[in-house]
Amino acid sequence: MGSLDIKTKRLSVEGKLKDVNGPSFSSRISQEIKGNNALNRPYQSIASQVLYGRLNDLPKKVRHYVEDNVKLCKPDTIHICDGSERENELLLYLLQRDGMIKPLPKMDNCWLARTDPKDVARVESRTFIATEEMRDTIPVVKNGVTGTLGNWMSPEDMDTELNMRFPGCMKGRTMYVIPFSMGPVGSALSKIGIELTDSAYVAASMRIMTRVGTKVLKTLGNGDFVKCLHSVGVPLPLKEPLNNNWPCNPKDTIIAHLPERNEICSFGSGYGGNSLLGKKCFALRIGSILGKREGWLAEHMLILGIENSKGVKKYFVAAFPSACGKTNLAMMKSALPDYKVTCVGDDIAWMRFDKDGKLRAINPEAGFFGVAPGTSMKTNPMAMETISRNTIFTNVAETSDGGVFWEGLEGEVPRTTKIKSWLGVEDWHPEQGKQAAHPNSRFCTPAAQCPIMDEKWQDPEGVPIEAIIFGGRRPEGIPLVYEAFNWQHGVYMGASMRSEATAAAEHKGKVIMHDPFAMRPFFGYNFGHYLKHWLSFQDKETNKLPKIYHVNWFRKDKNGRFMWPGFGENARVLDWIFRRVDGEDCAVPSAIGNLPKKGSLNLEGLQDNVDMDALFSIPKDYWQQEVRDIAKYFDEQVHEDLPPEIMKELRGLEARVNAL
Ligand code: OXD
Ligand code: MN
């Protein structure tokens, strides 16, 4: 094991997704071994291993899924999660006993986990989607080019990879059976998953990030669910000592999605998006495929409400690549006293046009798994309040008085406090040149604790969306805000998104990466087909298509200073969008889209001296290069799968930019 080649056999034209509820990996393996019928086997054989919960409470399909995986992974014991407080106490006790978390006495029921430093972020290079037809998953790239829009493997090859990893992988450990709902339990927009994991940290975190427990099983009945198998990949007894008591197996890590069987199998990492399978794996990768099949959208977007002083409220969604401030925007404290922002979600939106043609969104999650560094009373007071209790922190630094610390909190801890870094360096000082907290360190906290959660954040109908905002970290050339001419142009804008690289994955440095729709690491299927899916919504006349925007809070001047103050001041941009959506005539067309008319952005009370002309300038050379870069990207990466409508938009942009 170890190296994973991306196999590129089996080309075909666009294939249909089929056999979606096919047998799980474990049941196929056990059928091969025993040649018996999966649905009629007795399950009593594992009953004696159940230490918590009742096997009999599981619907038949779930029971068989558990049984197959117990036989495959061979855990010692089984814990069926009910979502109760008693269970939470047990999980926290076990995690403390195993040295995986410690209490933070300055805070209320808050915990600190430090991982093996080799397991700190999503591992995109080992994240695969296995479908019969490669082209269902990734576009066929131009000759000689390495694809960057996902990794494909055939289901047969994937079975071989999984077979090398999962048999016996949970020996000596407990398997937690986590029934969870993405979205409010019972909403027509929600979906149910069952995660089987040998990590109590994952079980404790899933309780925060999703709705877990008995109620979910009742709603599921004998329906189908997304099968989510996770193992840290370190059976007991240990062969070598753990680092920070954090079991993981980086050498053999694989995060596998099998959409044709509604299945996820993740091995070797206990961290974040690799192990909390409801989030990126289900809600985005599998979710986007379900959306394509069923006519809706699963997107890497925050959802916010914005209400003016007349009590008129609108909801917007916004897509930004990881670590671009989505959580800050979703919980923004408006610098414009006339506006109040409320939060529906900070990371993922599931959206569907309802029967009246209104786009409605739910947040499929129940918690925030936010990047800690940069979060402070100045940048996000709502998040600071949210994380003051019932929160699991991972890879942040700790203070000698039992609190937490990370880059950005310098002004908010007393000078006398000593800091221990995430790597365990006592008496840490910035002069040592190392970071106190890992740049991808996180808080995992219940959404319900956020003081500005929107009153409708759990509404099973979802909230009506009136604007879609795209954005990224663009130090040069890209104005603060511009508006798409129409839906198709907006889809082009999403497709051409770029941003500086992030610490949330394994990428290094400050390179500007293409990150279409902020979904590059999260597409569940061929990006060209995804674009077609987005474009298809303009074909239905009854759809009330939201307006689409691009924003950039991160433009810098010649001296490398941000030109726009950002944070609460971004409400000025939301205000302009709000008024545009209401039909106000406050925009002028430009080469790249509609810009705010001079004076139409409300700058009243803005303390900073902002050079608005520079902030909104469209440098011809820069945009000509941008067009060339995007054309190259589409040609190399999306190639024949690029819808002609998107190429038409690019050519239109090119002509307008050349005429500047
Ligand atoms: C996240 C990410 O963790 O986008 O939300 O990486
Ligand atoms: Mn994210």
Side-chain angles (χ1 to χ4, degrees), residues 4-9 128 134 138 152-154 157 161:
L4 281 168
D5 285 338
I6 303 165
K7 317 234 171 31
T8 50
K9 57 183 193 184
F128 291 84
M134 182 174 84
I138 48 173
W152 173 82
M153 201 185 277
S154 76
D157 289 343
E161 295 294 340

Side-chain angles (χ1 to χ4, degrees), residues 122 273 279-280 284 300 320-323 326 347 369 371 440 442 502 504-505 522:
R122 287 185 285 101
K279 197 172 179 61
K280 304 298 183 182
L284 287 178
H300 192 200
F320 300 97
S322 309
K326 282 218 304 293
D347 197 37
F369 186 69
V371 175
N440 190 37
R442 300 282 179 144
T502 141
F522 309 122

Side-chain angles (χ1 to χ4, degrees), residues 121 201 253 591:
Y201 168 88
T253 291

Side-chain angles (χ1 to χ4, degrees), residues 139-142 145 148-149 488-489 491-498 514-517 523 527-528 531 626-651 653:
V140 180
V141 293
K142 195 170 178 174
V145 169
T148 57
L149 285 161
Q488 182 165 303
H489 180 224
V491 176
Y492 164 81
M493 273 167 28
S496 60
M497 275 170 65
R498 302 170 78 189
H514 291 273
D515 194 349
F517 290 77
F523 289 120
F527 170 51
L531 287 172
E626 181 77 359
V627 166
R628 280 193 292 274
D629 290 350
I630 290 164
K632 181 166 184 283
Y633 178 70
F634 286 165
D635 180 40
E636 291 184 352
Q637 293 292 332
V638 205
H639 208 52
E640 282 175 23
D641 288 322
L642 189 77
E645 294 90 335
I646 300 296
M647 190 41 99
K648 193 168 153 226
E649 290 299 330
L650 177 62
R651 291 300 162 224
L653 174 67

Side-chain angles (χ1 to χ4, degrees), residues 458-650:
Q458 311 229 55
D459 190 328
E461 305 278 301
V463 295
I465 299 303
E466 295 190 60
I468 298 174
I469 303 171
F470 296 120
R473 262 179 202 273
R474 299 299 304 264
E476 279 181 76
I478 313 293
L480 179 66
V481 57
Y482 57 101
E483 180 187 76
F485 297 124
N486 51 44
W487 181 262
Q488 182 165 303
H489 180 224
V491 176
Y492 164 81
M493 273 167 28
S496 60
M497 275 170 65
R498 302 170 78 189
S499 191
E500 269 180 356
T502 141
E506 69 262 48
H507 309 293
K508 297 272 169 331
K510 294 241 161 203
V511 284
I512 303 280
M513 293 174 65
H514 291 273
D515 194 349
F517 290 77
M519 282 286 281
R520 188 194 47 76
F522 309 122
F523 289 120
Y525 64 97
N526 183 321
F527 170 51
H529 304 169
Y530 168 97
L531 287 172
K532 256 201 214 158
H533 184 48
W534 264 81
L535 290 169
S536 73
F537 294 105
Q538 69 186 357
D539 299 338
K540 196 162 172 202
E541 268 170 32
T542 48
N543 282 348
K544 301 183 178 87
L545 300 169
K547 282 186 181 292
I548 301 181
Y549 297 84
H550 189 283
V551 299
N552 175 29
W553 322 131
F554 301 98
R555 196 167 183 176
K556 289 182 174 166
D557 64 15
K558 289 193 291 297
N559 304 315
R561 278 189 299 255
F562 288 116
M563 296 169 87
W564 177 249
F567 304 110
E569 305 295 351
N570 294 337
R572 298 174 191 278
V573 174
L574 298 185
D575 158 59
W576 183 77
I577 294 175
F578 191 109
R579 289 184 281 124
R580 282 297 293 155
V581 168
D582 256 354
E584 193 176 313
D585 178 18
C586 53
V588 278
S590 80
I592 62 171
N594 297 321
L595 294 174
K597 269 189 184 164
K598 258 205 168 30
S600 69
L601 205 66
N602 181 353
L603 299 181
E604 214 180 296
L606 181 65
Q607 301 292 314
D608 306 66
N609 217 346
V610 179
D611 180 344
M612 296 304 279
D613 289 337
L615 189 61
F616 281 97
S617 69
I618 305 169
K620 179 170 178 173
D621 292 356
Y622 188 89
W623 273 88
Q624 284 180 320
Q625 187 57 45
E626 181 77 359
V627 166
R628 280 193 292 274
D629 290 350
I630 290 164
K632 181 166 184 283
Y633 178 70
F634 286 165
D635 180 40
E636 291 184 352
Q637 293 292 332
V638 205
H639 208 52
E640 282 175 23
D641 288 322
L642 189 77
E645 294 90 335
I646 300 296
M647 190 41 99
K648 193 168 153 226
E649 290 299 330
L650 177 62

